[in-house]
Amino acid sequence: QVQLMESGGDSVQAGGSLRLSCTASVVSGRTYSNYCVAWFRQAPGKEREGVAGIYGSGSTSYYAGSGEGRFTISRDNFKNTVYLQMNSLKSEDTTMYYCAARGGSCSARDPVYDFWGQGTQVTVSS
């Protein structure tokens, strides 16, 4: 079992940057290195959208949606923390961002993720 906690959400101006953090605590089961940790976001009235994911040591990652090219996912294995560096933020990036984890490879489909954090709010002002 993995418990996740997000941080780093804030209010920024359009074009600015934020770095979100997802810190995992492994309670039982698989080690953190065997998990995919992914970022999702969900705006009011919209479906949850996959943003990025990273697996294992960090050599495997994916980007999805409008964040591709602007966002970078990385992992600090010593700290059990996954980061989402968000650059060139736009107003449409405003929403709650959630960290999710699953044992095995990454997927942009949210139903396959077993563990979720409580989310961190990102607000981008134009």
Side-chain angles (χ1 to χ4, degrees), residues 15-32:
S17 299
L18 285 173
R19 189 180 75 166
L20 307 183
S21 298
C22 174
T23 299
S25 299
V26 179
V27 178
S28 63
R30 299 188 186 187
T31 62
Y32 189 69

Side-chain angles (χ1 to χ4, degrees), residues 24-126:
S25 299
V26 179
V27 178
S28 63
R30 299 188 186 187
T31 62
Y32 189 69
S33 62
N34 294 325
Y35 281 80
C36 173
V37 179
W39 288 96
F40 290 81
R41 64 186 184 184
Q42 187 171 22
K46 295 185 177 181
E47 294 183 344
R48 190 154 51 198
E49 174 190 2
V51 178
I54 190 166
Y55 174 76
S57 62
S59 61
T60 302
S61 61
Y62 77 89
Y63 300 91
S66 62
E68 187 173 3
R70 299 184 295 120
F71 297 173
T72 302
I73 191 168
S74 62
R75 166 176 258 162
D76 185 334
N77 292 312
F78 289 146
K79 296 181 173 62
N80 284 337
T81 299
V82 170
Y83 304 98
L84 183 67
Q85 179 68 45
M86 304 188 295
N87 299 322
S88 301
L89 285 164
K90 306 174 182 179
S91 60
E92 54 261 43
D93 297 319
T94 296
T95 189
M96 287 287 293
Y97 285 73
Y98 299 90
C99 181
R102 68 182 296 266
S105 60
C106 289
S107 173
R109 305 191 312 275
D110 59 296
V112 307
Y113 288 87
D114 301 308
F115 310 105
W116 293 84
Q118 295 299 311
T120 185
Q121 177 68 44
V122 171
T123 302
V124 183
S125 301
S126 60

